[in-house]
Amino acid sequence: MIERIRLVIATTNPNKLREIREVLAEDHPVELGSLSDVPPIAEPEETGETFEENARLKAFYYARHVAQARGPRVLTVAEDSGLIVDALGGEPGVRSARFVRPEATYAERFAEIYRRLAARPAEPRTARFICALAVVGDGALLFEATGRIEGEISDAPRGNAGFGYDPIFNYPPFGRSLAEVTDAEKLRVAHRGHAFRKLGEWLSSQPA
Ligand code: IMP
């Protein structure tokens, strides 16, 4: 019998989990689990200065826990992502989930971004989302990938789909924000879709 690769997606963010499951559901020889399949564990501190560092840090941290609960052959994938606004010197960046303060609402975060952009009217509104992922198995880093989507901060929040900063991120080829399109449309062009499709290709290329 062919043994399928077993992979735990180590994210506590249900929106990310939904998107990742949707991408990896596309016909890859893999059995997908999540953190709800292992005993609860505290989140690690995200001390990295880049998305890649944080993705690796999270993957190694959760992989130790997954190995204890499910054995060393189960792979763990973690991702780190966020929004980079050029006129704000790259903020909120790796601090996207904590921007303004950890428990701030997205309305407060949007207001802070617009307040700071208003002080820099001549600067471009260009921005991008980045997603870095890392896969750890048996204590080793097995695969890494990064995906991105280029766009601009819109003049006002629009749409109710998606999550996080999607309402203020305008994607010019759509002429709409990422919160004004379906999950499937977003995943086709956005950072997480690109990074996890690369993971899907890698999984498909692994010997059974
Ligand atoms: P992380 O859990 O440290 O990776 O934080 C990622 C944060 O970046 C999220 O909580 C959102 O605020 C933001 N972010 C990442 N990806 C997206 C996206 O696809 N849409 C909107 N916001 C996102």
Side-chain angles (χ1 to χ4, degrees), residues 165-182:
Y165 297 91
D166 284 341
I168 63 166
F169 189 89
N170 186 51
Y171 182 57
F174 287 164
R176 282 178 290 168
S177 83
L178 288 185
E180 293 181 294
V181 298
T182 62

Side-chain angles (χ1 to χ4, degrees), residues 42-184:
E43 287 180 40
E45 214 182 315
E46 294 181 23
T47 51
E49 281 173 17
T50 62
F51 297 109
E52 286 80 3
E53 273 180 61
N54 278 334
R56 281 196 290 269
L57 172 160
K58 288 192 254 189
F60 277 110
Y61 173 84
Y62 286 114
R64 273 193 298 276
H65 185 62
V66 168
Q68 273 173 5
R70 306 261 322 267
R73 286 181 57 81
V74 178
L75 308 185
T76 300
V77 56
E79 69 98 89
D80 196 58
S81 50
L83 174 68
I84 289 180
V85 181
D86 291 326
L88 304 187
E91 283 212 88
V94 289
R95 295 177 52 250
S96 291
R98 292 159 276 158
F99 185 57
V100 179
R101 49 178 202 288
E103 68 287 1
T105 64
Y106 278 91
E108 288 175 291
R109 291 181 179 153
F110 299 165
E112 179 63 11
I113 288 175
Y114 285 123
R115 192 185 66 74
R116 294 198 199 173
L117 286 177
R120 299 167 176 80
E123 300 215 13
R125 294 252 169 159
T126 46
R128 66 200 56 79
F129 278 117
I130 295 191
C131 169
L133 67 81
V135 180
V136 168
D138 211 0
L141 180 65
L142 301 179
F143 182 73
E144 291 180 282
T146 302
R148 63 173 58 213
I149 177 172
E150 300 284 338
E152 61 203 15
I153 302 301
S154 55
D155 52 3
R158 287 198 185 84
N160 302 308
F163 69 98
Y165 297 91
D166 284 341
I168 63 166
F169 189 89
N170 186 51
Y171 182 57
F174 287 164
R176 282 178 290 168
S177 83
L178 288 185
E180 293 181 294
V181 298
T182 62
D183 269 5

